[in-house]
Amino acid sequence: MTTSLPRQDRIRRALELLRHETTDKFDEIIPFEPGEFTDPVLAKDERDHVFGRVPSIVAHSSELAKANDFITVTMPRNNIIVVRQKDGGVKSFVNLCRHRGALLEESEKGRCRIFSCGYHRWSYDPDGSLRTITRDSTFGDVDRGDHGLIEIPTEERHGFIWVVDNAKEDIDVAAWLGPEIDGILAEYELDKSVCFRAGGFDEPTNWKIMQDAFLDGYHIQYAHPNTAGKIIHTNVMAFEDFGRHCRFIAPRKSIDRFLEEDPGDENLDKYVTETHFLLPNSTLLRQPDHFQLLTFRPHPTDPTKSRMEQRLIVPTVEDSGMAQERWERLWNKNWEILLAVLHNEDFPLLRDSQRGMGSADAGDMLLGRNEIANQVFRREIKKLVANGRAQVG
């Protein structure tokens, strides 16, 4: 299995696997139960012991470019507001007025100097402090310092905004990523890129079914014969297992020119896609000229529902060397292609999979030795759930 090699060497490793019509593999086939995608008890444990304990990505930094820019996010445990502060930092808060529990902000994104509740017009500053109690002379005495918005642990690192979906926890993204992945993300300098477009999709599918599909190099020619299957080789991965996280290189079919000849010192970046799985719920795809971030979150109550978010992360107009019009045309076209594949090919298949998992007699199922990133995902989620259960048990 590929470990700790320079990128060009890892690409050549993928080429060698392709020549031998094989892939990196684990030692064993792993069984699993369909109930893992329908069980409400397990779903709650995942919300509490996974998303309530470890960092996950909610946005690219460029989505909150200026002070008072905000987004709202439905996390598995909390509805939150994520807002850029005057000092350049980022904070997140439970999206709930501390008076009578009305939703504070309904918009998905915007810019706001004051968050004001529509029920009684209590208001809060972007730093979460309670600013106004309407008709306070009749309301009674309130310790305003104790009744600001509830803060959710938040950190900005490597061009992404991360949260731990639990007000009682701390956040340390570097420690969570570990030195290997933290160093890899630092090299990409994604803080210098921009999120050209982001989109979210609520689907009748367990989040793990969704995440599994975007770690899987085994299905490409079968589920995407006329799109990705024409571009990417199926079932070929040069793989690195970093414990919690992993990454793998999949060769594009354009690399076939080197099947019968040595590429020598030629840079092979444009001939591959490199996938990074960032536990618990993100797939970061490194394409030859841009990145895609795919995130998958459980529904707050229903194990058969989830939300997928897709982000197209690209060089700025200035760094691309393109005219604005050409830059926008290129990435709009790319975005439309991505949406078409998701909605026409991935989502229908995954919805049907969720329906099938609900069968009373579905029987045991299998992850193959070649489904290596899926095995890492399942292994690490099981660890987080088991550790969380042990701590509360």
Side-chain angles (χ1 to χ4, degrees):
M1 194 175 299
T2 311
T3 55
S4 303
L5 294 175
R7 178 171 168 80
Q8 295 304 311
D9 291 343
R10 288 184 288 112
I11 295 174
R12 283 162 173 76
R13 164 69 175 155
L15 179 58
E16 193 64 20
L17 290 168
L18 180 61
R19 286 172 176 150
H20 289 86
E21 299 182 349
T22 189
T23 184
D24 281 333
K25 301 178 290 292
F26 275 153
D27 292 336
E28 297 179 350
I29 292 173
I30 300 296
F32 67 92
E33 299 285 342
E36 294 177 21
F37 307 98
T38 60
D39 180 7
V41 175
L42 176 59
K44 184 178 187 308
D45 283 343
E46 289 171 352
R47 295 193 297 269
D48 290 344
H49 304 321
V50 178
F51 292 88
R53 300 209 176 189
V54 307
S56 61
I57 298 171
V58 295
H60 186 264
S61 296
S62 64
E63 295 175 74
L64 301 173
K66 298 179 180 179
N68 302 326
D69 283 354
F70 73 87
I71 59 171
T72 57
V73 184
T74 300
M75 294 295 289
R77 301 181 77 253
N78 292 289
N79 294 300
I80 67 173
I81 303 172
V82 187
V83 57
R84 178 74 66 185
Q85 302 296 297
K86 290 181 180 179
D87 65 2
V90 179
K91 290 187 176 183
S92 300
F93 306 98
V94 177
N95 187 7
L96 196 73
C97 179
R98 298 293 307 283
H99 170 214
R100 293 268 293 279
L103 192 70
L104 197 59
E105 181 57 63
E106 296 181 0
S107 300
E108 289 186 4
K109 61 182 179 179
R111 183 177 298 169
C112 193
R113 295 181 182 276
I114 298 172
F115 294 105
S116 182
C117 167
Y119 198 178
H120 298 92
R121 282 291 179 261
W122 282 35
S123 65
Y124 301 82
D125 287 324
D127 66 0
S129 59
L130 177 57
R131 180 187 182 95
T132 302
I133 299 174
T134 50
R135 302 180 185 267
D136 58 352
S137 62
T138 64
F139 189 87
D141 292 334
V142 174
D143 185 341
R144 298 189 182 214
D146 284 342
H147 288 82
L149 301 179
I150 302 296
E151 188 165 358
I152 297 297
T154 304
E155 184 179 340
E156 189 169 17
R157 190 171 182 84
H158 303 313
F160 295 117
I161 297 166
W162 314 66
V163 303
V164 175
D165 188 21
N166 188 335
K168 297 178 181 179
E169 294 289 336
D170 297 318
I171 188 167
D172 185 340
V173 174
W176 172 247
L177 293 175
E180 297 94 348
I181 289 292
D182 192 60
I184 288 166
L185 294 183
E187 290 176 7
Y188 295 158
E189 297 185 324
L190 289 167
D191 56 321
K192 297 179 180 178
S193 299
V194 293
C195 180
F196 177 77
R197 189 165 294 179
F201 317 101
D202 295 309
E203 285 293 308
T205 308
N206 183 276
W207 73 283
K208 298 192 297 293
I209 288 179
M210 297 285 281
Q211 175 68 84
D212 265 330
F214 296 91
L215 296 175
D216 178 356
Y218 186 29
H219 77 292
I220 298 173
Q221 76 179 83
Y222 313 111
H224 307 292
N226 298 312
T227 52
K230 291 184 174 181
I231 300 169
I232 305 291
H233 277 288
T234 298
N235 202 39
V236 182
M237 292 183 180
F239 193 83
E240 294 172 281
D241 185 353
F242 297 112
R244 293 175 182 151
H245 320 282
C246 62
R247 71 173 173 178
F248 56 88
I249 283 177
R252 293 169 166 248
K253 292 188 175 179
S254 56
I255 206 171
D256 290 0
R257 58 183 290 194
F258 298 115
L259 287 175
E260 303 297 332
E261 62 179 275
D262 188 335
D265 295 331
E266 181 166 345
N267 185 300
L268 301 179
D269 285 358
K270 66 181 180 181
Y271 300 110
V272 301
T273 293
E274 187 161 26
T275 300
H276 310 69
F277 169 56
L278 308 176
L279 188 70
N281 67 326
S282 291
T283 296
L284 179 67
L285 295 164
R286 181 184 182 181
Q287 305 291 6
D289 57 355
H290 69 280
F291 288 81
Q292 296 160 239
L293 179 71
L294 313 175
T295 55
F296 309 90
R297 294 192 197 97
H299 186 274
T301 59
D302 189 338
T304 68
K305 296 179 180 179
S306 63
R307 182 171 178 82
M308 174 191 179
E309 292 180 355
Q310 173 177 268
R311 288 174 165 84
L312 188 60
I313 302 169
V314 306
T316 63
V317 175
E318 295 76 15
D319 289 343
S320 73
M322 301 180 194
Q324 179 82 28
E325 182 179 350
R326 181 187 173 199
W327 183 84
E328 291 183 1
R329 186 169 59 249
L330 170 66
W331 298 121
N332 274 318
K333 180 180 179 181
N334 195 292
W335 180 259
E336 293 303 322
I337 292 171
L338 294 174
L339 287 187
V341 172
L342 284 178
H343 289 281
N344 297 336
E345 299 174 8
D346 286 306
F347 287 169
L349 189 153
L350 301 178
R351 292 168 193 153
D352 287 346
S353 179
Q354 181 67 53
R355 289 177 57 205
M357 294 292 187
S359 299
D361 299 310
D364 296 344
M365 298 188 179
L366 302 170
L367 283 175
R369 295 176 60 201
N370 58 324
E371 295 176 294
I372 192 164
N374 304 90
Q375 286 207 30
V376 169
F377 172 46
R378 187 174 183 280
R379 178 190 75 196
E380 296 304 316
I381 292 297
K382 286 187 68 176
K383 284 182 185 177
L384 290 173
V385 170
N387 290 340
R389 286 172 170 171
Q391 289 180 30
V392 299

